[in-house]
Amino acid sequence: MQWRKTHCARMDHGGCGLIVGVEKNRVVAIKADPEGFLNRGYICPKGLHSADKLYHPRRLRVPLMRKGTRGEGVWEEISWPAALEAIKNSLLAVKEKHGARAVAFCQGMPKGMEHFVLIRLANLFGSPNVVATQDVCHAPREVTGLHTCGFYPVVDFHQQAKTVVLWGSNITSTNEEGEISGLLLESIKKGTEIILVDPRSTALTNKARCWLQIRPGTDCALALGLLKVIIEEGLYDAAFVEKWTHGFEDLARYMAQFTVEHASQITGVEARLIRDAARTYASSRPAAIQWGNAIEQHPSVFDTARALICLMAICGNLDIPGGNIWPEEPPVLGLGKFVRADCLPTKARDMINAHHGTIPRLMTVPPAYFRKAVLHGIPYPVKAAYMQCTNPLMTYAQSNLTRDAIMRLDFLAVSEVFMTPTASLADIVLPAATHFEFNDIGHYGLGHGYILARPKLVDPPDHCRSDIRILNELGKIMTDPKDWYDDPDMLLEEVLYPAGINFSHFSEIGFLKGKDRPQKYLFSGFKTPTGKVELALSSAEKYGLQSLPRLPDLLELDPRFPLILTSAKSPVYLHSSYRWVESLRTREPEPVVEINPETAGPLTIADGDDVLIETKMGIITQKARITDLIRPDVVCAAYGWWFPEGNPVEQFDWCRSNYNMLTSASGEGKEFGTPCLKGIPCSIRKL
Ligand SMILES: Nc1nc2c(c(=O)[nH]1)N[C@H]1C(S)=C(S)[C@@H](COP(=O)(O)OP(=O)(O)OC[C@H]3O[C@@H](n4cnc5c(=O)[nH]c(N)nc54)[C@H](O)[C@@H]3O)O[C@H]1N2
Ligand SMILES: Nc1nc2c(c(=O)[nH]1)N[C@H]1C(S)=C(S)[C@@H](COP(=O)(O)OP(=O)(O)OC[C@H]3O[C@@H](n4cnc5c(=O)[nH]c(N)nc54)[C@H](O)[C@@H]3O)O[C@H]1N2
Ligand code: SF4
Ligand SMILES: [Mo]
């Protein structure tokens, strides 16, 4: 057996350095790399078991073409040339009849370079419509950052902070975007204090200085409450505010109408805790806010993210070591060049979402608007889709709408490692090679200031091909072949070339990082129209945005749905992925809904009972877990559940326990098209 180094990937955004045992072209052992840049010896269960999926007997191994009606589960095995030719013919036929924009290129969570190669293919094909789940994942944080302070403020876990606020971020379970919790746990041992903003208790609750057990969906009000205390008590960094912010007086004036008691009433968090959290955050330097999905799975995310950046700014925690930083990228090829943005200069104007007035700089189409285009031709029809690394039937809000949209497409191709509810509705299914089976670069384009090497360690099964290779082949036959390569690895070399290294050298060094250059604004100002952090947005009128972070409308009370539904990601699965990996499934065999005993008692719901969860959109079943670690007015349901052991003709029981049967794509936030996934009125009862 040979031990090789690489980085974990495709079990979340990836990041942990791994040492992998390879024997006879098989991965036989995985352990954490104590020298890993982001993990220093940390590893999670998904990483430990990540090779199990490679050897699953039901893994897709051959391209499939649909026989019979869509979703009937009857397939013919076809060759790669036949599969690629069928995709080319179908997509070019749609392009000819309806224009290139009628073809959508869809990706879920970006898993590696395939995401950017897909955008390149779309640009070269001529379609502005890359659909992604970024409406509920990171784009709101990133784009709000660009407008407010000129960058995406990410936490710097490599330096010790005095205080870290975990705001709707369950980092010990999710380790999101390479913010690996191992580094935070080390800092906690050395004295970093934690403020937790979460309706549920997490693994760090008993290490937290204060736990703001918030009512879901009210994060904006809480952030405004903290701002109120800090401004009213003069706890802000007056020198920074004076020199580097725009609109402080406007913000202070707006805050004068609002009281901490008001914030307390809306959020369900005691006023004294709001004051303590505000004073702690403002008096710690450096302090960082690790912001999670909870803030951006809600229509009010723009205001919440604006309020949180205002907090970072006025407390002097922006772009200082240990705070929320503006990372400098390593000297690799810029994203715009790699994705060939030059081929589609009018993309921002032509994308589906432009019609809906989303915020400038949003570069992917929100799923809510993609489905409007497919189902209603608004603002123009979309007739075909190419999907990779995604399972929209489970992961987009309002699953029934997704099913209707997929059924309406003239053509759907899906690249997958396993037959999923979405793939089962495709016309062509391509068997993808996956992690360990091809060369890849991690964290490119994510804005954290580093990239990670993911060298190939074993060959994929006979007919499986990496998405990068598939897209390179499709590019050669559907667009000008001179923009593509004989060897798809050349796409990686293109990225690395400006840094003066090749992939083989990169794999030896493991990662490339930009220079640490804190407080860049001292030399260049902030990259906003005023050169300052815009507490009040100077471009608000031009773009039709609110200039100050505003309190959103309150949730309407409906006596039929007295409880509030939210969700948290499972530590052992990635979204809807890997329920079919036995070593993970044994750890969490069924979808579980967490209910407080005070709520469960009167409804005679006991631990392990099947529970119906209902919202105005639909009804699903999950197993009860009775726990006092959650607010009594909240239930937290599992998300992403389908049953690979179920009937393929019924899309593997995709409705039974699927959280997104309960969510709605309407009422979305205007800036990002974000639906409400967390904080939904619901009711529960025993089955
Ligand atoms: N209700 C609700 N909805 C949500 C969320 C939530 O918290 N609640 N979270 C949202 C978020 S943050 C995100 S990012 C999205 C995620 O949405 P998706 O990305 O659609 O979700 P996944 O389940 O990760 O789907 C990935 C699919 O890719 C396949 N796959 C894995 N590796 C490879 C590979 O190498 N190649 C190919 N071709 N396929 C591969 C997996 O088998 C899986 O079926 O969901 C969003 N939707
Ligand atoms: N194990 C695992 N890891 C993952 C993923 C996965 O599916 N599984 N997905 C990856 C992806 S794509 C992403 S984007 C990240 C997301 O990672 P996180 O940001 O950690 O996302 P979640 O687990 O959805 O939610 C985080 C926390 O928000 C809390 N919460 C729920 N509702 C609210 C609310 O209204 N307000 C507040 N303040 N808190 C609330 C939940 O209880 C939970 O503890 O994780 C990545 N890592
Ligand atoms: S935390 Fe993420 S990157 Fe690290 S081992 Fe787990 S899945 Fe892999
Ligand atoms: Mo995500």
Side-chain angles (χ1 to χ4, degrees):
M1 185 175 71
Q2 208 193 357
W3 288 105
R4 305 266 313 270
K5 281 199 179 192
T6 189
H7 286 96
C8 183
R10 285 157 206 275
M11 302 307 283
D12 58 24
H13 302 100
C16 291
L18 300 181
I19 304 180
V20 178
V22 177
E23 190 175 41
K24 295 194 184 119
N25 203 22
R26 268 178 88 92
V27 174
V28 292
I30 294 182
K31 55 190 185 184
D33 182 355
E35 291 167 4
F37 168 56
L38 299 173
N39 60 318
R40 292 192 205 129
Y42 172 92
I43 190 165
C44 85
K46 287 187 278 103
L48 272 177
H49 294 288
S50 57
D52 298 4
K53 65 184 183 188
L54 270 50
Y55 307 113
H56 196 283
R58 276 173 58 202
R59 175 157 175 204
L60 292 168
R61 286 184 162 77
V62 187
L64 301 174
M65 181 184 274
R66 170 167 72 82
K67 288 272 138 196
T69 57
R70 188 167 275 177
E72 209 181 24
V74 189
W75 302 96
E76 181 188 351
E77 295 190 354
I78 56 171
S79 69
W80 270 102
L84 295 175
E85 195 63 17
I87 295 173
K88 173 188 116 176
N89 290 339
S90 303
L91 299 189
L92 288 180
V94 169
K95 179 175 177 175
E96 190 153 317
K97 196 159 167 213
H98 305 277
R101 64 188 188 173
V103 175
F105 294 85
C106 308
Q107 165 104 27
M109 182 194 89
K111 284 154 184 86
M113 283 304 296
E114 82 294 326
H115 181 54
F116 304 99
V117 183
L118 186 77
I119 303 176
R120 177 182 175 121
L121 178 64
N123 284 340
L124 291 165
F125 184 84
S127 173
N129 294 318
V130 175
V131 182
T133 46
Q134 285 164 340
D135 57 328
V136 291
C137 174
H138 293 94
R141 271 175 254 183
E142 289 172 28
V143 178
T144 306
L146 292 178
H147 285 275
T148 307
C149 58
F151 64 96
Y152 163 35
V154 297
V155 175
D156 175 17
F157 279 142
H158 279 92
Q159 308 294 329
Q160 168 113 18
K162 283 215 179 95
T163 297
V164 170
V165 186
L166 294 172
W167 198 305
S169 168
N170 189 8
I171 192 163
T172 51
S173 287
T174 53
N175 300 285
E176 62 104 30
E177 261 192 1
E179 301 285 20
I180 304 297
S181 57
L183 289 188
L184 175 64
L185 295 171
E186 277 179 26
S187 303
I188 293 174
K189 277 196 204 134
K190 293 187 206 145
T192 295
E193 288 200 309
I194 296 294
I195 296 174
L196 190 66
V197 183
D198 202 304
R200 296 158 58 239
S201 171
T202 73
L204 291 177
T205 310
N206 54 21
K207 296 205 161 53
R209 171 195 167 101
C210 61
W211 172 23
L212 311 187
Q213 199 179 9
I214 188 171
R215 187 177 286 137
T218 64
D219 293 272
C220 187
L222 186 63
L224 292 175
L226 265 70
L227 278 171
K228 169 79 187 175
V229 176
I230 291 167
I231 293 175
E232 193 174 66
E233 299 186 5
L235 304 176
Y236 53 87
D237 178 338
F240 183 91
V241 166
E242 166 74 21
K243 186 138 196 243
W244 292 112
T245 66
H246 168 82
F248 182 74
E249 290 74 23
D250 295 343
L251 180 67
R253 211 171 307 123
Y254 175 62
M255 297 312 304
Q257 316 160 17
F258 180 78
T259 64
V260 176
E261 282 62 34
H262 190 193
S264 165
Q265 209 180 7
I266 297 171
T267 59
V269 178
E270 281 178 62
R272 97 186 144 78
L273 286 177
I274 299 178
R275 291 200 169 89
D276 181 43
R279 290 169 189 154
T280 306
Y281 176 73
S283 62
S284 317
R285 185 95 43 90
I289 301 180
Q290 164 62 32
W291 40 359
N293 260 179
I295 62 150
E296 62 196 344
Q297 301 198 335
H298 193 274
S300 64
V301 51
F302 178 65
D303 290 284
T304 313
R306 291 262 304 124
L308 291 176
I309 300 172
C310 290
L311 272 172
M312 297 168 197
I314 69 168
C315 295
N317 279 317
L318 266 186
D319 207 22
I320 61 168
N324 286 81
I325 56 168
W326 177 1
E328 183 159 313
E329 294 299 330
V332 294
L333 188 68
L335 199 54
K337 285 199 176 135
F338 181 76
V339 302
R340 297 299 309 273
D342 58 308
C343 297
L344 223 50
T346 57
K347 172 171 169 161
R349 214 170 51 221
D350 299 338
M351 294 166 79
I352 293 167
N353 48 297
H355 170 82
H356 299 276
T358 50
I359 194 167
R361 291 164 136 165
L362 180 62
M363 292 315 285
T364 55
V365 177
Y369 301 143
F370 163 58
R371 286 167 297 173
K372 275 201 175 130
V374 175
L375 287 169
H376 309 295
I378 300 172
Y380 48 78
V382 164
K383 297 285 183 185
Y386 181 89
M387 296 182 174
Q388 69 177 15
C389 298
T390 188
N391 190 4
L393 206 52
M394 308 306 300
T395 56
Y396 290 179
Q398 202 173 338
S399 298
N400 276 323
L401 201 64
T402 312
R403 190 188 155 94
D404 292 349
I406 288 179
M407 297 308 275
R408 189 72 66 79
L409 288 171
D410 289 350
F411 179 76
L412 172 64
V414 174
S415 164
E416 250 301 346
V417 292
F418 200 87
M419 188 56 82
T420 64
T422 303
S424 76
L425 296 176
D427 299 290
I428 299 275
V429 179
L430 302 175
T434 192
H435 193 48
F436 304 119
E437 298 175 339
F438 61 94
N439 290 327
D440 195 9
I441 297 175
H443 272 70
Y444 179 65
L446 297 192
H448 287 253
Y450 52 82
I451 56 169
L452 305 170
R454 300 170 173 177
K456 170 179 170 178
L457 303 183
V458 294
D459 292 315
D462 285 352
H463 297 286
C464 296
R465 293 185 180 178
S466 76
D467 291 296
I468 301 177
R469 179 173 172 199
I470 299 169
L471 297 168
N472 185 63
E473 294 304 311
L474 283 172
K476 281 197 276 191
I477 58 173
M478 293 201 307
T479 69
D480 189 340
K482 77 173 183 343
D483 293 313
W484 302 93
Y485 295 102
D486 289 338
D487 175 2
D489 278 355
M490 287 305 292
L491 288 159
L492 311 183
E493 302 292 1
E494 207 183 290
V495 169
L496 297 171
Y497 185 75
I501 57 169
N502 60 20
F503 191 82
S504 151
H505 181 196
F506 178 49
S507 301
E508 275 164 35
I509 53 182
F511 69 95
L512 269 187
K513 186 177 160 314
K515 289 201 179 83
D516 287 326
R517 285 209 303 137
Q519 294 184 289
K520 284 182 278 301
Y521 58 87
L522 293 177
F523 306 98
S524 55
F526 288 94
K527 287 196 171 147
T528 60
T530 55
K532 298 182 176 186
V533 180
E534 300 203 342
L535 306 176
L537 278 185
S538 67
S539 54
E541 208 170 323
K542 179 166 155 201
Y543 297 138
L545 300 166
Q546 289 283 353
S547 95
L548 292 170
R550 298 282 164 138
L551 199 60
D553 295 336
L554 294 183
L555 202 62
E556 267 175 48
L557 294 177
D558 180 339
R560 289 173 306 157
F561 302 116
L563 297 168
I564 310 170
L565 176 69
T566 194
S567 67
K569 287 173 183 65
S570 155
V572 302
Y573 300 118
L574 172 66
H575 304 287
S576 73
S577 310
Y578 311 135
R579 302 302 185 287
W580 42 273
V581 176
E582 279 80 9
S583 48
L584 296 177
R585 186 72 180 269
T586 48
R587 287 167 177 257
E588 208 177 291
E590 288 170 313
V592 164
V593 51
E594 295 172 344
I595 310 168
N596 188 288
E598 258 180 54
T599 314
L603 297 168
T604 66
I605 297 173
D607 218 48
D609 280 351
D610 281 326
V611 171
L612 295 169
I613 311 165
E614 185 170 7
T615 68
K616 70 173 195 244
M617 299 305 295
I619 191 159
I620 63 169
T621 313
Q622 300 197 351
K623 286 255 182 257
R625 177 183 296 145
I626 310 302
T627 166
D628 58 8
L629 301 177
I630 186 163
R631 287 176 60 101
D633 55 351
V634 176
V635 294
C636 182
Y639 140 76
W641 272 91
W642 56 283
F643 299 88
E645 65 277 20
N647 187 349
V649 183
E650 287 164 12
Q651 280 63 62
F652 308 98
D653 296 339
W654 68 291
C655 295
R656 190 186 350 148
S657 300
N658 170 8
Y659 187 98
N660 278 326
M661 295 298 294
L662 304 177
T663 55
S664 166
S666 307
E668 76 282 4
K670 158 183 168 313
E671 298 82 6
F672 302 101
T674 302
C676 184
L677 304 180
K678 289 182 162 78
I680 309 167
C682 80
S683 67
I684 55 170
R685 60 186 188 274
K686 195 150 110 176
L687 180 69

